[in-house]
Amino acid sequence: MAPGPRLLVVSNRAPVEVVRSADGVRVVRTVGGLAGALNDVLRQRGGLWIAWVGLHAGEELPPGTAGLSYPIRAVRLKEREVNNYYAGFANQVLWPLCHMFPSRCAFQAAYWDAYRVANERFAAAVQAAAEPGDLVWVHDFHLCLVPGLLRAAGLPARVGVFWHIPFPPPSVFGILRWRAELLGGLLGADLIGFQTEQDAGNFVESVRQFLELPVADHPQRVVLPEREVHIIALPIGIDYQSFRAQAEDPAVRDKAARLRVALGAEKVMLGVDRLDYTKGILERLRGYERFLERQPEWRRRVCLVQITVPSRDRVPQYREMKRSIDETVGRIAGRFSFEGRTPLQYMYTSLPREALAAHYVAADVALVTPLRDGMNLVAKEYVACRGGQDGVLLLSEFAGAAQELREAVLVNPYDAEGIRRGLETCVFMPAEERRRRMRVLDDRVARRPIGWWTAEFIERLTAGGGTAATAA
Ligand code: GDG
């Protein structure tokens, strides 16, 4: 069977990064399931990836670079443009707004101007590379205007967008002065995918209210005079097989066993997050502190390992948050460490994938408590690594993953008392119930891996959008 049309993937960051050090310029592969899954698709169909690759990249990275099977076309942006478009409009306007933190938004006209210019640069790169009949797959909130620009230019290709983060209700999205431009830009696509039904519904409702366009159901779509834009909910998955295989690898199991001995805890709890206020790290630590207050006998029997990965350190709010977390970690360790043992281990670093998998394997309980999250892959990765045994997932009801992973212990991440109660439920849950819940979770995560997600999106884009309704 023919593999189908070529694919052009467009995203802000590439699956590689060009870094400059004393030894010269190097290209390093960035980790991520999406890059892996698309590697296979791009190898079969041909195509390329268009992205910003850092300030020191050449125009094209040929196939073979850092082991990739396809070329990367680098979009050139000056440092000041990156600051205003990426650190500015994307990370300080759209990110907080979509995660329902309007008061954290820095609405600056210069950010918007840079966002427009950067989107034009991305669209021009797509136009230069595209051939008639190609599929163009645009990723995420950094590039809202690209589909509209491509449509205006009459690009003879089908265009799809996947929105990885939450889409807020119109009462929040409507705060944005540039709401009509952003919505109009997205509607340049033939297909727009969201993580959950709720996100898709919020988008459609914003289009109805702010653009006064008709919308229709079954399949969900926006009806334009000359065409329709299909809207789907398609929850992203993980590379299940590779996490599962890693969790069963004797070297990883060994590492996990050693880790447990070093921690000296009967129950090991784990948190893994990028440093971000949306991830609810502070609120989680406060909930854990309450648990230790209320359960003195557990202070010597439990240990929470919190891994926080440095992120967005150009943004002042992130630097401040790091200080607050450091302070809270210090307070909890100061209050509850006893006779050389601490119930909280904090790491501010990024671990190699194998070490991360060992932490998942070692953890009896995973604490995934974002205040708002598009999906949250950590929840699914933990399930994949513990699926063979048991384990309990404490999960925020405001993570997209909560729509699928109903057998987790669901909590309101803003409520420290609720987290405390949730932690008690996890710690006291009988083994049989742990196993039963984990079996269901594991089955669900295994059935929708990242390969399923990419195939499904591409199939719907090729077929014309939304013949199938949503991913049930
Ligand atoms: C956006 C949306 C949506 C973390 N620490 C280490 C490490 N990680 C990896 C995890 C996981 C990834 O980073 C984080 O994924 P998330 O889903 O939690 O979050 P975002 O980066 O915010 O991603 C999100 C996602 O897009 C996909 O659509 O789920 O909602 O916000 O894969 O494993 N990896 C390694 N070492 C670490 O220390 N190697």
Side-chain angles (χ1 to χ4, degrees):
M1 199 167 77
R6 264 180 12 138
L7 180 66
L8 271 56
V9 178
V10 194
S11 66
N12 173 56
R13 301 308 291 265
V16 295
E17 202 167 352
V18 179
V19 289
R20 195 151 65 175
S21 66
D23 316 330
V25 170
R26 269 184 319 133
V27 181
V28 289
R29 184 95 172 250
T30 53
V31 267
L34 181 63
L38 289 174
N39 204 23
D40 293 343
V41 179
L42 286 164
R43 194 173 39 237
Q44 289 153 11
R45 293 172 169 252
L48 61 147
W49 196 310
I50 296 164
W52 179 65
V53 193
L55 295 168
H56 314 295
E59 250 174 37
E60 176 153 331
L61 309 181
T65 307
L68 293 172
S69 63
Y70 48 85
I72 296 179
R73 191 70 49 86
V75 174
R76 308 304 286 271
L77 296 170
K78 298 195 187 81
E79 189 157 13
R80 192 186 154 74
E81 290 170 335
V82 175
N83 281 337
N84 283 343
Y85 139 75
Y86 176 61
F89 199 76
N91 286 347
Q92 293 186 72
V93 178
L94 288 177
W95 178 268
L97 194 74
C98 290
H99 289 85
M100 312 271 268
F101 293 95
S103 61
R104 286 185 181 262
C105 292
F107 298 111
Q108 290 192 26
Y111 289 174
W112 168 247
D113 292 340
Y115 186 82
R116 268 193 5 236
V117 170
N119 273 247
E120 283 164 9
R121 212 69 65 72
F122 276 87
V126 176
Q127 277 173 262
E131 293 167 9
D134 282 348
L135 297 179
V136 178
W137 188 358
V138 180
H139 288 267
D140 233 353
F141 61 102
H142 312 91
L143 302 174
C144 290
L145 306 180
V146 168
L149 292 164
L150 296 177
R151 180 72 53 182
L155 191 83
R158 296 192 66 77
V159 178
V161 176
F162 191 81
W163 190 267
H164 289 257
I165 66 173
F167 200 94
S171 55
V172 174
F173 191 74
I175 291 171
L176 199 56
R177 182 158 32 125
W178 304 283
R179 63 195 188 193
E181 287 91 330
L182 292 165
L183 294 171
L186 287 167
L187 290 178
D190 298 288
L191 174 70
I192 309 176
F194 294 91
Q195 303 275 21
T196 67
E197 301 281 355
Q198 193 179 40
D199 298 320
N202 285 344
F203 173 76
V204 166
E205 196 44 37
S206 282
V207 167
R208 211 180 53 76
Q209 281 190 30
F210 303 130
L211 301 184
E212 295 179 14
L213 286 170
V215 297
D217 277 330
H218 312 298
Q220 196 166 34
R221 59 207 192 274
V222 177
V223 183
L224 301 175
E226 70 290 2
R227 62 193 176 89
E228 293 185 336
V229 183
H230 287 263
I231 312 298
I232 57 168
L234 196 65
I236 194 168
I238 57 160
D239 187 348
Y240 180 86
Q241 286 305 338
S242 97
F243 274 98
R244 190 57 188 263
Q246 221 162 19
E248 281 166 6
D249 178 343
V252 171
R253 300 199 76 83
D254 210 50
K255 209 180 182 81
R258 275 181 286 143
L259 183 63
R260 285 196 70 105
V261 171
L263 293 170
E266 203 175 301
K267 290 269 180 206
V268 173
M269 298 184 175
L270 177 69
V272 182
D273 313 82
R274 256 187 328 97
L275 179 77
D276 200 297
Y277 51 85
T278 62
K279 299 292 181 185
I281 302 168
L282 265 178
E283 291 77 1
R284 177 187 314 159
L285 289 171
R286 291 194 190 114
Y288 183 61
E289 188 173 18
R290 298 225 181 171
F291 169 80
L292 295 174
E293 279 167 6
R294 280 281 297 261
Q295 300 287 345
E297 73 282 13
W298 274 93
R299 291 176 195 165
R300 293 174 190 215
R301 297 165 64 189
V302 68
C303 186
L304 167 61
V305 181
Q306 173 64 45
I307 302 167
T308 302
V309 181
S311 171
R312 302 186 187 171
D313 44 17
R314 287 166 191 246
V315 182
Q317 287 180 357
Y318 285 68
R319 291 198 292 269
E320 277 158 35
M321 195 186 45
K322 179 177 179 302
R323 273 196 295 277
S324 306
I325 294 174
D326 288 349
E327 208 177 282
T328 307
V329 166
R331 186 181 68 232
I332 296 174
R335 284 185 70 187
F336 299 110
S337 294
F338 187 69
E339 292 181 347
R341 188 181 176 280
T342 172
L344 177 60
Q345 291 281 353
Y346 182 67
M347 282 185 269
Y348 179 64
T349 187
S350 172
L351 299 179
R353 243 286 294 267
E354 197 185 87
L356 178 65
H359 279 79
Y360 287 142
V361 172
D364 301 291
V365 182
L367 277 51
V368 181
T369 57
L371 302 179
R372 192 74 52 178
D373 217 329
M375 177 53 61
N376 197 296
L377 299 178
V378 168
K380 294 187 172 182
E381 291 165 4
Y382 173 68
V383 168
C385 288
R386 293 283 301 201
Q389 29 184 338
D390 68 7
V392 191
L393 176 63
L394 183 79
L395 181 61
S396 161
E397 57 194 18
F398 304 137
Q403 299 304 311
E404 291 172 277
L405 307 181
R406 309 302 299 178
E407 290 72 19
V409 174
L410 295 176
V411 288
N412 174 350
Y414 284 90
D415 173 13
E417 266 304 291
I419 293 183
R420 191 267 302 160
R421 281 196 304 276
L423 288 170
E424 288 174 0
T425 306
C426 295
V427 164
F428 299 125
M429 190 182 286
E432 198 184 318
E433 183 176 350
R434 292 199 303 262
R435 275 195 291 274
R436 183 184 55 76
R437 289 189 190 219
M438 187 48 89
R439 257 199 311 273
V440 183
L441 292 174
D442 184 45
D443 184 53
R444 207 157 300 141
V445 173
R447 266 194 285 133
R448 291 171 161 188
I450 185 79
W452 165 84
W453 179 84
T454 45
E456 196 80 4
F457 189 91
I458 290 170
E459 192 186 310
R460 297 201 191 180
L461 182 58
T462 315
T467 34
T470 52

